[in-house]
Amino acid sequence: MTEANTERSELKRIMADLEAIQFETGSDIRHYTETTRKLSRALAVELEFSAQELEAALKELPPGSGESRLAMRRKARSVARHLRRAAEAQRLVGVEAVRTWGSMLKHFDHLVKRKKRRRSLDLSA
């Protein structure tokens, strides 16, 4: 199986996991927001790498008539900028997903059962 097919199958698995979450408990909501953040981070990294690859490939193309190499570099950077903005937008998606959980705790904290923290034993005494 090629790397692209592996990535697609992984993406399909993650999307199926997200779709299966029912929002019945606080842990469901937290799991959903954390999974969304992980997915967004991965996509942001992919978009950033793709922007770099695209820019490098476009810089190597021969310039058109009357154009300089500098103009080709400027055009390549301009085209790749859109993928870089998409990567930044994906990072924002992850941030907003995590903020959903924070907002949930703020507004519905009486419904969310928090785990009690155990006191650690001081064995040095």
Side-chain angles (χ1 to χ4, degrees), residues 10-11 13-15 17-18 21 29-47 87 90-99:
E10 180 68 12
L11 179 60
R13 186 193 60 77
I14 293 171
M15 291 302 296
D17 288 349
L18 283 175
I21 297 173
I29 297 167
R30 185 175 187 131
H31 178 63
Y32 186 88
T33 58
E34 288 176 352
T35 304
T36 302
R37 179 184 63 186
K38 289 176 189 173
L39 182 61
S40 296
R41 280 183 179 175
L43 186 52
V45 168
E46 174 60 32
L47 288 167
Q90 277 304 312
R91 285 185 202 87
L92 186 58
V93 167
V95 168
E96 291 301 322
V98 171
R99 285 183 178 170

Side-chain angles (χ1 to χ4, degrees), residues 5 12 15 17 43 46 48-49 53 56 61 64 67-69 81 86 88-90 97 105 108 113 122-123:
N5 287 339
K12 286 180 182 179
M15 291 302 296
D17 288 349
L43 186 52
E46 174 60 32
E48 191 65 43
F49 284 141
E53 290 175 9
L61 293 176
E67 288 186 319
S68 68
R69 280 297 216 193
R81 184 179 303 126
E88 185 58 36
Q90 277 304 312
L105 291 177
F108 294 97
K113 294 180 183 176
D122 184 12
L123 300 176

